[in-house]
Amino acid sequence: MKCYALHLFVLISFVFNPAFSQEENLELTSKDSVVVSSWVVGLGINIVDDSATPFGEGILDIGDTWHTVPYPSRISIGRFFRNGIGVEAIGTYNRYKEGKIVDGAINNSLREYFAIDGKISYDVNKIIGETGWFDPYLHVGVGYSSIGSVGRSTANAGFGFNTWFSDRWGLNFNTMGKWGIPEESTKQLQHSAAVVYRFGIKKELSKKGLEKLALIEAMEKEKQRVNDSIAAANRAKEEAALAQRLAEEKERALAEKARIEAEKQRRQRIEDKIKELGHVYFNFDSHSLNNDSKKALEGLANILKENPDLKIKIASGTDSRGPSTYNLGLSERRVASTRDYLLSLGIDAAKLSTEAYGEDNLLNECDDNTYCPEAKHRINRRSEFILIFY
């Protein structure tokens, strides 16, 4: 059962896929257009049957009743319109030969035949639909025939068809019954075959061409709809991606702002803690650490251990009393004792930098020219800590 279903699927695919492929490659061609109006000229031969009973039993007695000449004997020009109506003028020449049947009797002398006919035709394709190369028509008209210098007017009716090899060149075949006026005149059949040429052509799409054009337009419309849908989906996707990207960028910006603010607050808290520890103060002319100073440095060491990204600059100074050169060396010893104690507490040397002020960078007005009590001089005998982040 599965094998049968597979074979059926392959067969259906083989039958229908070519049609789908053709639809995908639809395009209008010259075969989709028809000539709807034109001028037509023709040159050919004509055959006259003037046996008095051309519509009787002897209609096919060609050898006895048909008259023709071995050279072009018919010329025509006509105008054919979009509504299927055609108007045509025809001139013909022939000879009635001896021994042929004319008006029901044997013709005893050579007689020349001239005729001028006008006809109105109607294209049968307007009724049965376009047939492409085959172009049948019916026609009626009037004419004048001269046979051996004897003239007669005729009422004409007949049928014919054109077969076209191209838009311009084709063959015409026609049969016309000619009834003499006045009544009781003899009747004739006139057959013709001619090469015809069209000019002044106007073309329009045939019914099938219009159907193909409608299908092409529908396919193009559907293709455009699909393309528009794809473009709209792509735009929506791009807009969604842009909105998401903007949202993510905004979120990152907010996160970065929050991080910076949090970092700022953290630094502020650390700075506040260090400020709470205060400075390390020294006695006059001393670089030794007292218990209060060691306690402050132990608190500083804990802060450094809790925050591995911190770096501290230790800056030590003296008061203004004594020579400035001596005071610079004293501040160097003070900064060294402060640094050494922090190292003894397990602080990495890379996290510590130092600077000796000497008696520069006084924290108050107590310079060499100003008297100050001991309490104010003590303020300048310190090691202070400058917080560095990295």
Side-chain angles (χ1 to χ4, degrees), residues 77-375:
I77 183 169
R79 180 79 169 97
F80 297 87
F81 302 96
R82 187 179 186 281
N83 58 7
I85 300 296
V87 179
E88 192 172 7
I90 305 166
T92 55
Y93 170 78
N94 217 312
R95 286 183 175 183
Y96 283 10
K97 297 179 180 179
E98 295 180 27
K100 295 279 187 176
I101 298 175
V102 176
D103 289 337
I106 300 297
N107 184 42
N108 293 320
S109 63
L110 179 66
R111 289 187 286 177
E112 292 188 323
Y113 174 96
F114 298 95
I116 296 176
D117 297 288
K119 71 178 184 180
I120 298 174
S121 63
Y122 184 74
D123 187 355
V124 179
N125 281 340
K126 295 297 180 180
I127 300 173
I128 65 176
E130 295 295 339
T131 55
W133 60 272
F134 182 63
D135 190 7
Y137 59 88
L138 302 174
H139 64 85
V140 295
V142 294
Y144 181 83
S145 299
S146 174
I147 307 171
S149 300
V150 177
R152 72 182 74 172
S153 297
T154 61
N156 308 330
F159 60 91
F161 67 89
N162 297 307
T163 178
W164 298 103
F165 307 121
S166 68
D167 286 343
R168 296 190 178 276
W169 292 99
L171 294 177
N172 172 261
F173 300 92
N174 184 76
T175 292
M176 182 191 311
K178 305 177 78 172
W179 289 266
I181 303 172
E183 191 175 351
E184 303 301 328
S185 296
T186 58
K187 300 178 285 291
Q188 304 170 19
L189 276 181
Q190 190 166 359
H191 312 291
S192 64
V195 175
V196 287
Y197 176 78
R198 287 192 289 203
F199 61 96
I201 290 173
K202 182 179 180 182
K203 298 184 70 175
E204 291 182 2
L205 289 175
S206 65
K207 183 178 179 180
K208 290 183 179 180
L210 290 172
E211 292 173 353
K212 182 185 285 190
L213 177 61
L215 180 58
I216 291 173
E217 290 175 345
M219 292 175 65
E220 288 295 327
K221 186 176 180 180
E222 177 62 15
K223 183 179 179 180
Q224 186 62 47
R225 186 193 67 79
V226 171
N227 290 339
D228 290 344
S229 298
I230 293 172
N234 289 337
R235 284 195 302 271
K237 185 177 180 181
E238 291 173 358
E239 289 171 359
L242 177 60
Q244 182 178 358
R245 187 164 61 251
L246 292 175
E248 290 174 352
E249 290 176 358
K250 183 178 180 181
E251 185 177 352
R252 285 194 296 269
L254 291 174
E256 180 64 15
K257 183 178 179 181
R259 187 193 66 79
I260 293 173
E261 184 62 29
E263 181 64 18
K264 182 179 178 181
Q265 293 176 4
R266 186 178 76 90
R267 292 184 181 189
Q268 187 62 50
R269 287 194 300 270
I270 294 172
E271 289 177 351
D272 291 342
K273 286 182 179 180
I274 292 175
K275 287 180 181 179
E276 289 176 3
L277 293 174
H279 295 165
V280 171
Y281 294 103
F282 297 91
N283 293 327
F284 179 72
D285 196 21
S286 174
H287 60 275
S288 297
L289 298 171
N290 56 34
N291 290 333
D292 290 338
S293 297
K294 291 179 179 180
K295 185 176 181 181
L297 291 175
E298 290 168 1
L300 179 60
N302 290 332
I303 293 173
L304 291 172
K305 291 176 181 178
E306 292 171 358
N307 299 276
D309 59 336
L310 300 185
K311 186 175 180 180
I312 293 293
K313 183 171 81 170
I314 305 168
S316 299
T318 66
D319 60 29
S320 61
R321 293 175 295 179
S324 59
T325 303
Y326 178 81
N327 285 337
L328 179 59
L330 179 59
S331 67
E332 290 174 349
R333 291 191 292 274
R334 286 175 176 172
V335 77
S337 63
T338 304
R339 179 177 179 276
D340 290 343
Y341 191 74
L342 287 172
L343 293 175
S344 70
L345 296 175
I347 301 303
D348 187 354
K351 300 182 68 174
L352 304 175
S353 61
T354 59
E355 184 178 358
Y357 292 152
E359 59 182 70
D360 296 334
N361 294 337
L362 298 175
L363 298 179
N364 53 29
E365 74 279 9
C366 299
D367 58 16
D368 289 337
N369 301 315
T370 304
Y371 170 78
C372 288
E374 173 60 23

Side-chain angles (χ1 to χ4, degrees), residues 6-23:
L6 178 60
H7 290 167
L8 181 61
F9 174 77
V10 171
L11 178 61
I12 292 173
S13 300
F14 177 79
V15 171
F16 286 100
N17 278 348
F20 294 152
S21 177
Q22 290 176 3
E23 286 191 4

